[in-house]
Amino acid sequence: MDFKNLLHKKAEQIDLALEEILPKEIGHQDIIFQSMRYSVFAGGKRLRPILMLAASDFVGGNEKDVLPFCCAIEMIHTYSLIHDDLPAMDNDDFRRGKLTNHKVYGEGIAVLAGDGLLNYAYEIMLKSILHGGADSKRKIMAMEEIARAAGIYGMIGGQVVDLASENKQIDGETLDYIHNHKTAALIIAAIRAGAIIGGADDHTLKCLTEYGKCIGLGFQITDDLLDIFGNEEKLGKKVGSDIENNKSTYPSIHGVDQSIAKVNELFHRSVAVLQEFDTKSAFFMDLADYLVKRDY
């Protein structure tokens, strides 16, 4: 099986788990369930839950223990996208080739759908902790990793600086802060949470963390490049929006050539940090290569 097919199989596994976990009953508030499911099943790559599954497997963890946390981190990621697309934020009409949530359900329900996904993610993680399986302390530690990465010291903190930087000339250090917090933090947390639930030792956790830092930043720089050179049909959204919205990106600050060089540097660093694990790290190495060369 080639790597793209393997990723597709893993994404299908996450989809099945999300289908089972997300509410779909009919009732007075059923529109919120529809809105939540609309964005969750809008065709995401499932990168974060796939990384969490892979990290757990890497250290010999139990899949049943980590799957609820995989679903939770995907719900948190999706909530952030719903809110990011709102007129008060990036004001986007399309994501993944479909109308954004607020264009279908209205701004009020879109805000509540994001809130619902965020809150429900913590319900799912807490239920998993209460129902046993892997050591409860490890699950609590994993939840803390996710909470911090999604919060004011992680993704939200990055979004705040991103908003504050609109229509301003910012330096490379500020841009690194935005990318490392808004995007990379949740990717790193996915890897660390999976490894922690699986029982990783300190050295392995440190290596996987460094890998996550490299691909997290590399993933966002590639996104910046795709906003210039990407295919709108493959991306499922308009290209050139960063320039149109006067947003600072890696290419706008460092130039295209240096941005490409930085992505390649991060790729080589991510591969090097896991080389000591030999064939055991093949999935992570293939994933790093895929993320560098992706066109959507």
Side-chain angles (χ1 to χ4, degrees):
M1 184 183 296
D2 68 33
F3 189 71
K4 281 190 176 181
N5 283 333
L6 178 60
L7 279 183
H8 181 69
K9 289 288 184 185
K10 287 183 177 294
E12 284 184 337
Q13 182 183 5
I14 301 298
D15 282 344
L16 286 172
L18 284 164
E19 180 64 47
E20 186 176 335
I21 280 176
L22 279 167
K24 46 183 175 285
E25 65 262 26
I26 303 299
H28 290 295
Q29 83 279 41
D30 62 344
I31 190 169
I32 198 67
F33 301 151
Q34 294 170 27
S35 181
M36 289 161 63
R37 293 175 70 85
Y38 174 82
S39 289
V40 168
F41 293 110
K45 290 184 281 292
R46 309 303 190 211
L47 173 63
R48 291 150 193 83
I50 287 173
L51 281 167
M52 192 183 292
L53 264 181
S56 174
D57 182 62
F58 189 80
V59 299
N62 187 322
E63 193 174 272
K64 289 183 179 179
D65 289 325
V66 77
L67 264 177
F69 289 79
C70 292
C71 292
I73 206 164
E74 186 67 9
M75 286 188 271
I76 291 170
H77 173 58
T78 303
Y79 117 76
S80 76
L81 300 181
I82 294 173
H83 283 190
D84 211 34
D85 289 335
L86 288 166
M89 298 281 277
D90 283 353
N91 194 24
D92 283 319
D93 293 343
F94 290 92
R95 181 172 291 277
R96 299 165 179 164
K98 297 182 180 180
L99 286 169
T100 47
N101 197 291
H102 68 277
K103 286 294 179 180
V104 177
Y105 294 96
E107 291 179 33
I109 293 298
V111 170
L112 292 172
D115 295 344
L117 285 167
L118 176 60
N119 193 77
Y120 198 57
Y122 288 98
E123 288 186 51
I124 294 303
M125 288 188 284
L126 286 167
K127 281 181 183 177
S128 178
I129 292 167
L130 291 171
H131 290 167
D135 182 270
S136 293
K137 184 179 179 181
R138 294 208 303 262
K139 288 186 176 182
I140 292 168
M141 289 169 63
M143 187 168 71
E144 194 273 338
E145 291 279 345
I146 294 168
R148 185 176 180 86
I152 57 174
Y153 297 106
M155 181 178 67
I156 291 174
Q159 288 174 319
V160 168
V161 179
D162 191 27
L163 279 176
S165 300
E166 285 186 356
N167 299 311
K168 293 180 182 177
Q169 291 289 331
I170 63 172
D171 56 24
E173 183 182 350
T174 303
L175 182 65
D176 280 346
Y177 181 93
I178 294 169
H179 282 356
N180 283 322
H181 288 76
K182 185 177 178 180
T183 301
L186 211 57
I187 289 173
I188 297 165
I191 294 172
R192 284 181 59 85
I196 288 167
I197 292 171
D201 61 65
D202 290 344
H203 176 68
T204 303
L205 184 60
K206 182 179 179 181
C207 292
L208 286 170
T209 301
E210 184 61 28
Y211 170 87
K213 289 177 180 178
C214 292
I215 66 161
L217 180 56
F219 180 84
Q220 183 56 58
I221 298 173
T222 300
D223 258 11
D224 289 353
L225 289 164
L226 287 173
D227 191 71
I228 300 173
F229 303 111
N231 181 298
E232 287 191 4
E233 188 174 334
K234 287 184 177 180
L235 289 170
K237 61 181 180 180
K238 182 181 176 183
V239 298
S241 61
D242 289 339
I243 296 171
E244 186 178 308
N245 294 326
N246 198 26
K247 293 190 72 170
S248 294
T249 64
Y250 242 81
S252 72
I253 291 179
H254 301 288
V256 169
D257 289 344
Q258 194 170 334
S259 298
I260 293 171
K262 182 66 173 180
V263 171
N264 288 327
E265 175 201 332
L266 289 165
F267 162 70
H268 290 299
R269 279 171 51 193
S270 72
V271 170
V273 78
L274 295 182
Q275 278 184 339
E276 67 179 88
F277 299 98
D278 298 324
T279 57
K280 187 180 176 183
S281 60
F283 176 84
F284 287 111
M285 292 186 175
D286 287 343
L287 181 63
D289 185 62
Y290 165 77
L291 291 177
V292 168
K293 297 176 181 176
R294 68 192 171 94
D295 54 8
Y296 68 95

